[in-house]
């Protein structure tokens, strides 16, 4: 499928007054993560890390919204989860780079919404600031730029994305951009229409990348953070193999590589990233599954270790987290293992900022389990650490220092 500027249709783009310049390129989010990683490597005693967990909230289920827990960064022990804010289907979360606010999408149809919360100290509970309509159905992903000026949302069911300016008090302004994707692809059931699945800013906040499962494209936009405005880039997209179904993507810590997890055909595509133009050039595509597996499964989440040496991807159906080594020169991936112990429908997982632990959200087992990461190989070792929580679907660390 050819990439063209016609792949997107702008429904509206509202004008806003200019906001302050973004500040330093190295953001608080990156600085804090690096500080925690450094403390772990030098053996310094670290404080428990607050974690927020987004959940599905079925009428008959036990979950009521967004929960918080805490990780002991030395032992991997998790505190019992506590309800931080009651909410309907807050499936995906993102913490503001300052650590003062949290944003959550309500995964509902026909009208989805995104909510802004203040993180109250010292409890860590959440106080609702405001809500905005996402302009589409089934929002499934939320993100911020690294400077903390904008919030981005992907509407899966309706195949659109939106951007919102963040006000000084952390609340969300009116939509600054709304873009409806157009097209289809090879899978008869799942790719009849566009299905935007995630939105990620580039490390320097100049570009925004939207993975659309329905059209097998990574749409690329230029970001005007002062107005929360998005315009098509040139090139406007990167194209995946027909039927791949791109879901989530992650930048390598070095900024030179991008890895895309393809949900439908269960693969990972590595790209070389041109920071000047925003272009992606394919390096390699590998399976997220063992060669011997032939059952029904879909890929879910992807992460790169803070040291850049390892990459992780989860599989729902095979119920595993795949571990890869990353070639520092080429960005190519080399399979290390598939870890399956205690894993059931791992829709999401996350690595703690020190890179010592991997926390897996078992949507199919109502639990979050902890694995220890081997520093030399990246391999996962099960621990006895586990908490019970209904339908966990997103794990986010509160990293920033107030």
């Amino acid at each position: 499928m050819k990439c063209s500027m016609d792949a997107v249709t702008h429904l509206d783009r509202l004008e806003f007054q200019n906001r302050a310049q973004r500040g330093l390129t190295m953001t608080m989010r990156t600085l804090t993560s690096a500080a925690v990683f450094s403390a772990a490597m030098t053996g310094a005693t670290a404080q428990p890390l607050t974690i927020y967990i987004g959940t599905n909230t079925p009428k008959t289920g036990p979950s009521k919204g967004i929960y918080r827990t805490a990780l002991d960064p030395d032992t991997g022990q998790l505190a019992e989860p506590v309800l931080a804010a009651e909410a309907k289907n807050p499936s995906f979360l993102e913490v503001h780079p300052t650590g003062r606010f949290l944003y959550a999408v309500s995964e509902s149809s026909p009208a989805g919404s995104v909510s802004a919360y203040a993180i109250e100290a010292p409890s860590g509970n959440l106080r609702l600031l405001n809500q905005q309509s996402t302009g589409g159905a089934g929002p499934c992903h939320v993100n911020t730029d690294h400077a903390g000026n904008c919030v981005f949302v992907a509407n899966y069911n309706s195949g659109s994305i939106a951007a919102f300016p963040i006000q000084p008090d952390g609340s969300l302004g009116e939509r600054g951009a709304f873009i409806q994707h157009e097209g289809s692809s090879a899978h008869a059931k799942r790719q009849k229409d566009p299905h935007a699945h995630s939105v990620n800013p580039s490390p320097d906040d100049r570009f925004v990348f939207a993975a659309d499962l329905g059209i097998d494209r990574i749409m690329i936009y230029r970001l005007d953070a002062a107005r929360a405005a998005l315009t098509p880039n040139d090139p406007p997209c990167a194209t995946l193999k027909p039927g791949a179904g791109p879901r989530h993507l992650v930048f390598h810590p070095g900024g030179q590589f991008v890895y895309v997890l393809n949900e439908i055909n269960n693969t990972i595509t590595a790209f070389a990233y041109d920071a000047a133009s925003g272009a992606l050039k394919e390096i390699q595509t590998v399976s997220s599954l063992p060669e011997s597996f032939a059952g029904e499964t879909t890929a879910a989440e992807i992460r790169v270790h803070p040291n850049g040496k390892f990459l992780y991807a989860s599989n729902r159906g095979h119920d595993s987290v795949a571990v890869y080594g990353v070639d520092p020169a080429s960005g190519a991936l080399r399979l290390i293992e598939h870890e399956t112990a205690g894993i059931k429908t791992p829709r999401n997982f996350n690595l703690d900022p020190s890179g010592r632990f991997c926390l897996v959200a078992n949507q199919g087992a109502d639990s979050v389990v902890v694995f220890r990461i081997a520093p030399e190989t990246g391999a996962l070792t099960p621990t006895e650490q586990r908490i019970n929580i209904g339908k966990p679907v997103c794990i986010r660390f509160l990293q920033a220092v107030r």
Side-chain angles (χ1 to χ4, degrees):
M1 184 181 295
K2 186 178 179 181
C3 232
S4 72
M5 298 290 284
D6 295 332
V8 296
T9 300
H10 292 260
L11 299 185
D12 62 31
R13 188 176 297 110
L14 306 177
E15 293 292 327
F16 293 94
Q17 295 180 344
N18 288 335
R19 293 167 60 86
Q21 293 291 323
R22 284 198 296 265
L24 295 175
T25 301
M26 181 67 77
T27 65
M28 287 186 67
R29 179 185 295 171
T30 306
L31 284 169
T32 305
S33 181
V36 174
F37 183 72
S38 175
M41 295 302 100
T42 59
T45 301
Q47 296 298 314
L49 299 174
T50 298
I51 298 169
Y52 292 97
I53 302 173
T55 67
N56 288 142
T57 58
K59 292 182 180 180
T60 59
S63 182
K64 296 183 181 299
I66 303 170
Y67 290 79
R68 61 176 171 83
T69 180
L71 175 75
D72 184 316
D74 294 321
T75 67
Q77 182 176 359
L78 286 173
E80 283 299 308
V82 176
L83 184 66
E86 191 165 341
K88 181 180 179 181
N89 281 332
S91 62
F92 220 86
L93 318 174
E94 190 55 79
V95 175
H96 190 272
T98 63
R100 297 174 57 207
F101 313 111
L102 180 143
Y103 303 94
V105 290
S106 177
E107 193 169 342
S108 57
S109 291
S113 63
V114 56
S115 299
Y117 295 89
I119 298 176
E120 297 187 321
S123 69
N125 287 334
L126 303 176
R127 175 172 52 86
L128 180 65
L129 297 173
N130 74 333
Q131 291 181 327
Q132 293 285 6
S133 168
T134 63
C140 63
H141 191 267
V142 62
N143 213 335
T144 73
D145 66 335
H146 297 88
N149 289 328
C150 307
V151 160
F152 314 109
V153 174
N155 295 308
Y156 178 82
N157 291 358
S158 55
S160 58
I161 65 170
F164 302 82
I166 298 175
Q167 305 301 321
D169 66 352
S171 64
L172 296 173
E174 297 292 328
R175 276 199 310 268
F178 179 87
I179 299 175
Q180 177 65 53
H181 292 174
E182 303 289 345
S184 59
S185 196
H187 195 283
K189 293 183 178 180
R190 302 199 60 193
Q191 294 183 314
K192 294 179 180 179
D193 301 290
H195 293 294
H197 217 312
S198 62
V199 191
N200 291 271
S202 62
D204 60 4
D205 288 340
R206 294 178 59 231
F207 304 101
V208 169
F209 297 80
D212 195 304
L213 179 147
I215 59 177
D216 285 324
R217 292 173 178 172
I218 306 299
M219 305 305 299
I220 309 171
Y221 302 98
R222 294 189 299 274
L223 171 64
D224 180 350
R227 299 184 299 124
L230 300 172
T231 55
N233 186 51
D234 184 13
C237 62
T239 302
L240 283 301
K241 181 180 178 180
R247 176 184 173 95
H248 287 180
L249 66 81
V250 63
F251 278 83
H252 187 275
Q256 72 274 44
F257 307 119
V258 171
Y259 298 93
V260 176
L261 185 67
N262 300 307
E263 175 177 337
I264 297 176
N265 73 356
N266 302 288
T267 61
I268 302 165
T269 301
F271 289 93
Y273 173 58
D274 184 343
S277 68
L280 300 176
K281 182 179 180 181
E282 184 173 347
I283 298 169
Q284 173 198 39
T285 295
V286 299
S287 176
S288 66
L289 300 168
E291 292 183 4
S292 59
F293 184 77
E296 292 292 326
T297 189
T298 55
E301 187 57 280
I302 186 167
R303 291 283 175 188
V304 176
H305 193 277
N307 65 18
K309 296 180 179 180
F310 313 112
L311 179 142
Y312 302 83
S314 66
N315 299 294
R316 298 168 295 179
H318 184 250
D319 289 341
S320 64
V321 174
V323 183
Y324 302 83
V326 179
D327 184 285
S330 69
L333 301 177
R334 172 184 55 84
L335 179 65
I336 294 173
E337 68 164 358
H338 288 88
E339 180 57 60
T340 61
I343 296 175
K344 179 66 174 178
T345 321
R347 177 167 170 179
N348 191 255
F349 68 91
N350 211 338
L351 311 181
D352 84 287
S354 75
R356 288 182 175 184
F357 299 102
C358 174
L359 280 64
V360 178
N362 285 324
Q363 185 183 16
D366 293 336
S367 66
V368 173
V369 295
V370 182
F371 294 85
R372 188 175 292 275
I373 300 173
E376 297 300 323
T377 67
L380 302 179
T381 300
T383 71
E384 296 181 356
Q385 305 303 328
R386 170 194 179 106
I387 56 173
N388 296 321
I389 183 169
K391 298 293 183 288
V393 292
C394 183
I395 299 172
R396 286 293 180 268
F397 285 87
L398 178 62
Q399 298 182 26
V401 177
R402 295 176 184 273

